[in-house]
């Protein structure tokens, strides 16, 4: 069995003012604050964008899951630009395609449908993080 990792970074997109960006951030917080608070963490994507050296070092030293709200894939691209390796790149739109009955309407404050999508996505992130903590390569979804 591969060595266990100490912590997995989950980096959601910024996506301010976009429902899928808000869902991605909410799902990341569900994981880091509740579901796997002992083995996951997050950093603000804008720190990477601005070239913050401490943030860049963290993405180079840790296993990383990115969560992007749109096809632009800013989270994934900025982690890679910072020298990090993306262990898994998840997209909110893929979760929505699997659960299209939950169409979010609200943006800044998620409505019930948005919260449901965030919960489904948080479960996906948790499953991937668990595999990464065990040292398994989770695979990368192309964003």
């Amino acid at each position: 069995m591969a060595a266990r990792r100490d912590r997995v970074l989950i980096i959601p997109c910024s996506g301010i003012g976009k429902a899928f960006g808000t869902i991605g951030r909410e799902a990341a917080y569900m994981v880091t604050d509740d579901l796997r608070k002992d083995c996951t963490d997050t950093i603000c994507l804008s720190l990477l964008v601005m070239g913050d050296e401490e943030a860049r070092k963290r993405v180079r030293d840790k296993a990383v899951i990115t969560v992007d709200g749109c096809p632009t894939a800013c989270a994934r691209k900025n982690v890679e630009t910072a020298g990090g390796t993306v262990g898994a790149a998840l997209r909110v739109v893929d979760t929505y395609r699997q659960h299209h009955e939950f169409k979010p309407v609200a943006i800044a404050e998620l409505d019930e449908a948005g919260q449901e999508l965030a919960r489904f996505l948080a479960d996906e992130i948790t499953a991937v993080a668990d595999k990464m903590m065990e040292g398994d390569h989770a695979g990368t979804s192309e964003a």
Side-chain angles (χ1 to χ4, degrees):
M1 179 188 285
R4 287 183 59 90
R5 297 177 185 270
D6 67 337
R7 196 155 290 272
V8 175
L9 283 179
I10 301 166
I11 303 177
C13 70
S14 295
I16 305 300
K18 305 289 184 188
F20 283 176
T22 303
I23 290 166
R25 281 191 315 284
E26 182 65 24
Y29 297 144
M30 287 177 180
V31 176
T32 60
D33 292 346
D34 185 33
L35 298 172
R36 293 296 184 273
K37 65 182 174 183
D38 59 329
C39 63
T40 62
D41 202 0
T42 189
I43 59 173
C44 181
L45 180 60
S46 64
L47 291 174
L48 289 179
V49 172
M50 295 177 61
D52 180 85
E53 191 50 45
E54 184 176 328
R56 293 171 59 90
K57 181 179 182 337
R58 288 186 70 199
V59 299
R60 288 191 301 261
D61 293 345
K62 303 287 181 196
V64 177
I65 299 170
T66 58
V67 181
D68 280 298
C70 74
T72 304
C74 293
R76 180 180 55 83
K77 289 176 183 175
N78 278 287
V79 167
E80 291 169 346
T81 298
T85 301
V86 175
L90 303 178
R91 299 183 324 163
V92 178
V93 69
D94 294 332
T95 302
Y96 175 65
R97 285 181 182 141
Q98 294 172 355
H99 303 282
H100 63 282
E101 67 276 18
F102 297 109
K103 183 176 172 75
V105 177
I107 295 172
E109 188 74 28
L110 290 180
D111 57 9
E112 189 174 322
Q115 285 291 332
E116 281 299 313
L117 279 176
R119 281 190 276 280
F120 284 119
L121 182 57
D123 289 343
E124 291 176 42
I125 295 168
T126 298
V128 172
D130 288 348
K131 287 182 181 180
M132 292 173 85
M133 284 298 296
E134 290 298 328
D136 294 340
H137 178 65
T140 302
S141 299
E142 286 302 315

